């Protein structure tokens, strides 16, 4: 019987790559974030307004007179999502500030990029975490509120004139979540400290809002709203939900352009910063 | 490796039975920390945050005729000092730097080098606090001065002499704001593992009590600080309804007391705490 | 250092430098160090144990970074915790690879020397001397962020040595070093021990510690397994048979001569045919009795493969 040499044999087979390669990054990061009790508390608080609005809808369907004070229409959803934007800010700090910063500090980014992952997969994976968190306090409660309103007051909501509300909720939620997530990730990639990144993100968003306040006090011109990301999102929301606000009288195209520019800027930062190796001179 | 040259006598003028003198140790920590604080990416953000009023003042001045403002130049300066700096930018800057005085070293795992030197821990905290103060004051004060002169010399230098004491007063309040909030956030930084969210809640929820009636404003920091600002902007919104101007002496005593208590508390907690770095 | 200074240092430090008296340390429900009583004196002592044994906790208690949950830990007669003045005479080389990356090697050392109370001229002199000791003089003006792993380890060692401390606590000092620098550091540590300093070296790599010292402290599960000279520990392990390997011109004749002696427990011939490996319960008696047979059988080489730290440690841990 011949005895065969047990030498190295080259592996010829093809192992197909996953299509959705970034999903494990998102899944594991979400698992870590959701394991923190304080974070779950924040999520709970973020859903507080949803409860209030459900009660509002219920009360108005039972007492139509109350609808004069608290009307149930597109504006209610606009206000609802506008307040939820504040929670996306807090969630982005809490859950997103360290997403890339910690990887840069610990060198874990090398571990990621030594797998069959591209930088795009890495960024998508991290973006997925923030999108999931932000959508959980905007899109999910927004659509749920709409369905509850439809169920409680079908005669009011099952009309073509209000059918635009649900797509408006989807669009506004997606835009808000995407913009906040991109800014949070970009700022996270600029630092090696989650704390610095979190405060930097807050300072940027809030600081621009303060500047807008100052300019508004000075000139009272609607163009000052373009400076602030929060104001741009508010303008877009007003346009989507038909809200008239003296402070936001610009055509929606301008805030939309600003948001697109901000998003592209963030992507450019991520492209420059997400690298396996940093050269120290 | 060659044999070491014979070193000078070990004591070399030091008292081996005592820690290094407080001021010498604090100075050494200050020198070590200052460069890292000033020449860092986070300081770029602070330059933007604290320096922003200067280009806004330039904008005001440049477009004065083409874009008539709703408020006068000096009133705008009042808005910048009381609304922008004292109520928002300076407390944010303090939160940014002061919560991280020790936490940065722990996160970077360099705390071991500091804690294995013959220095009192309070001296380490003092040196870091001094570095924070110098950095933020160096970023804020020039912007305040530039903003002042850009806004008050629009129509020439007439009356400038009468306004300069206001500038000095406001500069003093800016420094006091940085010291007071810095001391508070330094305490939060050593007390809490994650001080950022509680710090933000304190600044944007608790400090709103300053606009409440009765004795409630006295439980905030901002009520004392904004009472020290002489000029009041014409429209303060909600604050205008209940706005209290506390006596200057009371404000200075309260602020002084807060600084001492917060810093002493931070030093005590830092001295008693163990820092175990996960390997 | 002059011979007189070395002698004076040794005499002054004659008594125990580090003392642990029923010292325990726990983190919540986890006991990291359990009722340890021991002393460490001048010379090099190896602190050995597997990961999680309690070595870092033991070292951190001595370095004053942790307070004992129970008992006492004293360094140079003073409690380690809460006595910052001790660090005039204690140098610590931590395990973690962490620095202020923007500083150069020289700036790093000078900053820490300034914190130790030296004036600028002394800081510069001492920093230069320490850099020379660890062969980093050429890289003194390069940022630590650009150092290799070995260089980072050496600059860490330099900061522990720069102020000429009497006590050195070194946590994994050879980690990341290439063989040439490893040899240099081992020689440096041995020299420091000969100078009368108390050097406690923590490591889980046994042959590294063996190269530096024969005096060891073995820790496992938070308790001290054994302490003292490796050979003495070995000799005290009566139950565990000693292995002796002999290389002979006529191994079978040697085997015939020694197999009948009562303290030979087993005998194995080596694959190459020249070696005989013997297990004996009483090594001293064996060595005495094997002499004549060894001469007649032409024994050219004899050694004990388990008279080393690894076998001692494995045996003690497995007990």
């Amino acid at each position: 019987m011949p005895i065969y040499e047990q030498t190295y044999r080259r592996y010829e087979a093809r192992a197909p790559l996953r299509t959705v390669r970034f999903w494990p990054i998102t899944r594991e990061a979400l698992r870590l974030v959701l394991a923190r009790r304080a974070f779950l508390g924040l999520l709970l608080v973020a859903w507080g307004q949803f409860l209030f609005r459900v009660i509002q809808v219920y009360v108005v369907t039972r007492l139509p007179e109350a609808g004069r004070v608290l009307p149930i229409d597109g504006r209610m959803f606009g206000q609802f999502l506008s307040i939820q934007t504040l929670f996306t800010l807090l969630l982005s700090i809490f859950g997103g500030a360290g997403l890339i910063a910690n990887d840069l500090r610990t060198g874990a980014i090398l571990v990621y990029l030594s797998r069959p992952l591209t930088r795009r997969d890495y960024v998508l994976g991290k973006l997925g975490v923030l999108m999931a968190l932000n959508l959980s306090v905007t899109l999910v409660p927004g659509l749920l509120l709409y369905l509850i309103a439809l169920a409680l007051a079908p005669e009011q909501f099952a009309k073509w004139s209000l059918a635009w509300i649900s797509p408006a909720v989807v669009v506004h939620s997606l835009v808000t979540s995407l913009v906040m997530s991109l800014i949070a990730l970009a700022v996270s990639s600029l630092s090696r400290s989650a704390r610095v990144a979190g405060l930097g993100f807050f300072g940027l968003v809030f600081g621009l809002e303060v500047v807008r306040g100052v300019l508004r006090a000075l000139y009272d011109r609607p163009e000052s709203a373009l400076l602030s990301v929060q104001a741009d999102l508010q303008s877009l929301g007003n346009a989507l939900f038909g809200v008239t606000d003296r402070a936001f009288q610009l055509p929606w195209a301008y805030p939309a352009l600003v948001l697109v520019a901000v998003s592209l800027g963030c992507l450019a930062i991520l492209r420059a910063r997400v690298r396996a190796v940093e050269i120290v001179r | 490796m060659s044999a070491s040259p014979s070193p000078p006598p070990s004591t070399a003028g030091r008292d081996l039975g005592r820690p290094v003198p407080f001021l010498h140790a604090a100075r050494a920590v200050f020198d070590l920390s200052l460069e890292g604080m000033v020449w860092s990416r986070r300081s770029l953000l602070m330059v933007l945050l604290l320096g922003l009023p200067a280009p806004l003042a330039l904008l005001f001045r440049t477009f004065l005729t083409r874009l008539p403002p709703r408020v006068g130049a000096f009133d705008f300066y009042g808005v910048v000092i009381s609304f922008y700096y004292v109520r928002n930018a300076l407390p944010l800057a303090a939160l940014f730097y002061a919560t991280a005085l020790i936490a940065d070293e722990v996160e970077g795992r360099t705390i071991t080098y500091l804690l294995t030197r013959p220095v009192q821990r309070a001296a380490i905290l003092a040196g870091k606090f001094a570095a924070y103060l110098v950095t933020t004051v160096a970023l804020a004060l020039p912007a305040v001065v530039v903003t002042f002169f850009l806004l008050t010399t629009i129509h020439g230098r007439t009356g400038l002499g009468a306004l300069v004491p206001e500038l000095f007063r406001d500069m003093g309040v800016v420094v006091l704001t940085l010291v007071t909030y810095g001391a508070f956030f330094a305490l939060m930084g050593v007390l809490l593992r994650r001080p950022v969210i509680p710090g933000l809640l304190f600044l944007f929820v608790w400090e709103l009590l300053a606009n409440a009636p009765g004795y409630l404003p006295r439980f905030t920091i901002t009520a004392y600080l904004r009472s020290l600002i002489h000029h009041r902007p014409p429209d303060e919104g909600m604050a205008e309804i209940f706005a209290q101007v506390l006596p200057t002496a009371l404000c200075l005593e309260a602020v002084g007391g807060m600084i001492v208590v917060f810093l002493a508390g931070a030093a005590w907690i830092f001295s008693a705490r163990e820092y175990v770095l996960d390997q | 250092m002059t011979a007189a200074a070395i002698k004076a240092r040794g005499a002054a430090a004659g008594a125990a430098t580090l003392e642990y008296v029923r010292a325990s340390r726990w983190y919540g429900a986890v006991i990291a160090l359990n009722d340890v009583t021991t002393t460490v004196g001048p010379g090099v002592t190896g602190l050995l144990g597997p990961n999680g044994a309690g070595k870092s906790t033991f070292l951190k208690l001595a370095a004053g970074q942790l307070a004992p949950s129970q008992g006492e830990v004293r360094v140079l007669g003073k409690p380690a915790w809460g006595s910052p003045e001790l660090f005039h005479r204690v140098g610590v080389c931590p395990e973690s690879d962490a620095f202020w990356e923007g500083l150069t090697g020289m700036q790093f050392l000078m900053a820490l020397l300034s914190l130790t109370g030296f004036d600028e001229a002394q800081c510069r002199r001492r920093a230069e001397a320490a850099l020379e000791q660890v062969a980093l003089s050429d890289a003194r003006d390069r940022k630590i962020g650009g150092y290799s792993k070995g260089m980072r380890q050496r600059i860490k060692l330099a900061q522990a040595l720069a102020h000429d401390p009497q006590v050195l606590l070194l946590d994994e000092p050879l980690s990341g070093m290439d063989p040439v620098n490893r040899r240099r550091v081992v020689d440096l540590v041995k020299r420091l021990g000969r100078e009368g300093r108390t050097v406690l070296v923590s490591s889980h790599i046994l042959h590294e510690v063996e190269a530096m010292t024969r005096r060891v402290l073995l820790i496992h599960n938070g308790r001290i397994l054994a302490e003292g000279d490796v050979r003495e520990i070995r000799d005290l392990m009566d139950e565990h048979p000693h292995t002796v390997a002999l290389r002979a011109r006529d191994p079978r004749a040697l085997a015939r001569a020694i197999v009948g002696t009562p303290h030979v427990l087993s005998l194995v011939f080596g694959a190459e045919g020249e070696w005989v490996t013997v297990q004996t319960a009483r090594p001293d008696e064996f060595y005495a009795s094997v002499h004549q047979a060894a001469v007649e059988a032409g024994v050219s080489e004899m050694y004990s493969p388990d008279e080393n730290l690894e076998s001692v440690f494995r045996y003690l841990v497995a007990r």
Side-chain angles (χ1 to χ4, degrees):
Chain A
M1 191 195 311
I3 298 170
Y4 295 99
E5 285 288 333
Q6 302 302 311
T7 55
Y8 172 73
R9 286 183 225 177
R10 192 186 175 82
Y11 182 66
E12 299 284 350
R14 285 192 171 279
L17 288 175
R18 265 175 198 274
T19 323
V20 186
R21 291 193 296 268
F22 67 82
W23 172 243
I25 300 176
T26 304
R27 184 188 62 217
E28 294 310 313
L30 273 175
R31 202 174 278 177
L32 277 170
V33 166
L34 293 173
R36 283 154 64 179
R37 259 180 286 177
F39 188 80
L40 291 175
L42 183 62
L43 270 180
L44 217 65
V45 170
W47 275 69
Q49 201 207 171
F50 167 77
L51 278 171
F52 170 77
R53 296 292 181 179
V54 167
I55 295 169
Q56 178 186 345
V57 168
Y58 180 77
V59 165
V60 169
T61 53
R62 293 290 172 270
L63 297 167
E65 302 82 38
R68 274 188 233 130
V69 178
L70 296 167
I72 309 295
D73 55 11
R75 282 175 296 174
M76 185 195 79
F77 288 89
Q79 283 164 7
F80 171 76
L81 287 174
S82 170
I83 294 171
Q84 292 300 96
T85 305
L86 291 173
F87 287 106
T88 62
L89 183 64
L90 284 175
L91 284 173
S92 297
I93 294 174
F94 209 103
L99 277 178
I100 299 182
N102 288 339
D103 288 348
L104 287 173
R105 191 186 81 244
T106 58
I109 198 158
L110 264 170
V111 175
Y112 283 109
L113 298 179
S114 65
R115 299 286 186 269
L117 287 173
T118 60
R119 289 189 294 153
R120 185 167 49 183
D121 294 325
Y122 174 80
V123 170
L124 276 174
K126 298 293 182 177
L127 188 66
V129 181
L130 283 171
M131 287 295 286
L133 294 174
N134 288 332
L135 288 173
S136 71
V137 298
T138 51
L139 181 67
V140 173
L143 281 181
L144 213 55
L145 187 63
Y146 179 75
L147 289 171
I148 289 172
L150 203 60
L152 285 176
E155 68 289 345
Q156 194 168 352
F157 275 87
K159 286 189 218 171
W160 279 116
S161 56
L162 288 178
W164 53 269
I165 289 180
S166 55
V169 166
V170 171
V171 169
H172 190 263
S173 303
L174 283 173
V175 170
T176 303
S177 301
L178 185 64
V179 170
M180 285 297 192
S181 303
L182 280 172
I183 298 175
L185 271 188
V187 174
S188 180
S189 73
L190 288 171
S191 174
R192 286 169 179 250
S193 162
R195 190 180 346 94
V196 170
L199 281 170
F201 172 65
F202 183 85
L204 193 67
V205 173
F206 186 75
L208 288 171
E209 182 64 18
V210 169
V211 169
R212 184 187 80 87
V214 169
L215 285 176
R216 192 161 162 252
L218 263 187
Y219 299 111
D220 196 23
R221 292 184 70 92
E223 288 87 353
S224 60
L226 291 174
L227 268 175
S228 161
V229 168
Q230 273 185 283
D232 289 324
L233 288 169
Q234 180 76 50
S235 298
L236 211 61
N238 291 348
L240 279 168
F241 292 103
V243 177
T244 314
D245 189 331
R246 212 176 71 81
F248 304 96
Q249 281 180 326
L250 282 173
W252 65 268
Y254 293 111
L257 259 169
V258 169
L259 292 173
V260 167
V262 164
S263 303
L264 289 175
C266 293
L267 286 171
I269 291 172
L270 287 167
R271 191 161 185 267
R273 288 292 299 167
V274 174
R275 291 186 183 281
V277 180
E278 187 180 351
I279 312 290
V280 176
R281 295 194 199 283
Chain B
M1 250 178 276
S2 58
S4 65
S6 39
S10 295
T11 54
R14 301 175 296 153
D15 179 356
L16 301 190
R18 288 170 182 276
V20 171
F22 189 93
L23 282 175
H24 180 111
R27 176 65 200 263
V29 173
F30 172 82
D31 289 339
L32 181 62
S33 306
L34 186 68
E35 195 166 327
M37 266 192 208
V38 171
W39 301 112
S40 64
R41 213 169 270 134
R42 75 175 78 177
S43 290
L44 193 64
L45 186 64
M46 282 298 113
V47 164
L48 290 172
L49 185 70
L50 297 175
L52 196 56
L56 285 178
L58 193 62
L59 182 86
F60 182 99
R61 190 186 168 108
T62 310
F63 294 101
L64 187 61
T65 45
R66 269 175 283 175
L67 263 179
R70 292 201 305 166
V71 298
F74 195 68
D75 288 333
F76 176 46
Y77 171 73
V79 167
V80 164
I81 292 296
S82 64
F83 176 69
Y84 186 81
Y85 276 121
V86 173
R87 232 173 291 166
N88 289 292
L90 297 177
L92 260 181
L95 179 66
F96 202 66
Y97 281 113
T99 48
L101 292 184
I102 302 299
D104 262 358
E105 302 290 348
V106 174
E107 217 170 79
R109 295 169 180 272
T110 47
I111 188 90
T112 311
Y113 298 122
L114 297 177
L115 298 182
T116 53
R117 299 293 126 179
V119 299
Q120 293 166 291
R121 290 195 183 191
I124 297 173
L125 191 67
K128 290 216 148 265
F129 189 80
Y132 143 76
L133 206 57
V134 164
T135 304
T136 47
V137 166
L139 290 174
L141 285 188
V144 169
V145 171
V146 167
T147 305
F148 175 84
F149 280 107
L150 279 173
L151 292 172
T152 54
T153 57
I154 289 177
H155 304 294
R157 290 185 225 167
T158 321
L160 186 62
L163 295 175
V164 167
E166 293 297 322
L167 171 65
F168 287 122
R169 190 183 180 104
D170 293 336
M171 285 165 69
V173 174
V174 162
V175 173
L176 259 183
T177 304
L178 286 169
V179 177
T180 317
Y181 278 110
F184 178 72
F185 289 126
L187 175 62
M188 276 192 106
V190 293
L191 196 60
L192 303 171
R193 265 195 82 186
R194 291 177 216 275
V196 171
I197 301 282
L200 289 173
L201 287 172
F202 173 81
L203 280 183
F204 298 105
V205 177
W206 179 267
E207 291 281 86
L208 289 176
L209 283 177
N211 301 325
Y215 266 85
L216 286 172
R218 293 175 190 228
F219 293 105
T220 66
I221 296 175
T222 194
Y224 297 102
L225 291 167
R226 68 186 188 188
S227 295
L228 290 170
I229 302 167
H230 241 180
H231 53 86
R232 316 281 303 173
D235 177 10
E236 285 190 325
M238 188 183 151
E240 204 180 20
I241 305 168
F242 299 115
Q244 291 183 36
V245 180
L246 301 169
T248 303
L250 172 68
C251 294
L252 289 173
E253 274 171 22
V255 160
M258 279 191 262
I259 292 168
V260 168
V261 166
F262 294 150
L263 283 177
W268 184 71
I269 292 170
F270 179 48
S271 298
R273 184 158 277 194
E274 294 169 336
Y275 290 92
V276 182
L277 303 176
D278 299 324
Q279 297 301 340
Chain C
M1 181 172 275
T2 61
I6 292 171
K7 205 171 172 181
R9 185 194 286 272
T17 318
L18 308 179
E19 296 170 69
Y20 291 71
V21 179
R22 305 208 65 179
S24 297
R25 172 70 202 200
W26 49 81
Y27 306 100
V30 176
I31 303 177
L33 210 64
N34 195 348
D35 197 21
V36 163
T37 299
T38 188
T39 58
V40 179
V44 182
T45 305
L47 179 65
L48 286 157
N51 291 327
K55 302 190 304 296
S56 285
T57 303
F58 189 94
L59 216 63
K60 281 178 179 148
L61 284 168
Q65 293 176 265
L66 295 175
S69 305
Q70 215 172 60
E72 279 183 8
V73 178
R74 305 180 80 82
V75 176
L76 299 169
K78 285 191 176 183
W81 171 257
S83 305
E85 64 276 10
L86 278 174
F87 293 109
H88 284 297
R89 294 180 288 173
V90 175
V92 179
C93 177
E95 185 188 355
S96 55
D97 178 47
F99 301 91
W100 295 287
E101 305 276 344
L103 297 181
T104 64
M106 187 69 178
Q107 287 170 338
F108 175 64
L109 292 181
M110 284 193 63
L112 293 178
L113 282 164
S114 178
L115 266 173
T116 316
F118 295 103
D119 61 41
E120 193 172 336
Q122 289 164 356
C123 287
R124 189 166 295 279
R125 208 166 38 238
R126 286 177 176 276
E128 282 167 358
L131 284 166
E132 205 180 316
Q133 267 192 304
V134 299
L136 275 177
S137 298
D138 290 342
R140 52 185 273 169
D141 294 321
R142 272 172 54 190
K143 286 191 182 167
I144 296 176
Y147 279 11
S148 67
K149 182 93 168 64
M151 291 164 82
R152 291 163 79 88
Q153 192 65 21
R154 280 184 279 150
I155 196 75
K156 224 195 307 171
L157 196 55
Q159 63 81 31
L161 300 171
H163 57 291
D164 196 27
Q166 188 180 339
V167 178
L168 277 157
L169 306 170
L170 310 178
D171 201 345
E172 310 274 358
L174 303 179
S175 165
M177 285 197 189
D178 60 55
V180 172
N181 283 308
R182 237 175 241 266
R183 185 75 249 159
R184 284 177 177 156
V185 170
V186 164
D187 290 342
L188 173 63
V189 167
K190 282 156 81 172
R191 181 169 62 75
L192 293 168
R194 281 195 302 270
E195 286 173 2
R197 294 175 217 253
T198 300
V199 184
L200 184 62
V201 180
S202 165
S203 179
H204 61 277
I205 300 177
L206 305 181
H207 67 264
E208 283 181 359
V209 173
E210 248 184 319
M212 286 187 248
T213 180
R214 292 212 67 89
R215 196 171 3 157
V216 295
L217 227 137
L218 302 176
I219 285 190
H220 186 57
N221 285 340
R223 288 187 178 276
I224 294 185
L225 279 181
E227 57 179 308
D229 188 283
V230 177
R231 278 206 195 102
E232 284 171 13
I233 297 170
R234 189 69 186 87
D235 288 343
L236 286 170
M237 287 159 33
D238 296 325
E239 302 150 27
H240 188 66
H242 292 240
T243 307
V244 183
L246 303 109
R247 187 181 190 170
R249 190 188 62 243
D250 190 352
R252 293 202 173 263
L254 177 67
R256 269 195 302 276
I258 62 177
V259 74
T261 50
H263 41 265
V264 169
L265 302 173
S266 72
L267 201 147
V268 174
F269 291 102
E272 283 93 40
E274 288 183 324
W275 288 91
V276 178
T277 306
V278 177
Q279 289 228 316
T280 170
R282 294 199 280 279
D284 292 335
E285 289 175 36
F286 172 78
Y287 288 129
S289 64
V290 84
H291 175 71
Q292 186 60 32
V295 169
E296 286 170 9
V299 168
S300 58
E301 213 174 312
M302 183 167 74
Y303 75 97
S304 178
D306 63 1
E307 195 170 277
N308 63 28
L309 215 38
E310 183 159 349
S311 60
V312 166
F313 189 80
R314 266 196 271 119
Y315 168 71
L316 289 171
V317 166
R319 254 169 33 134

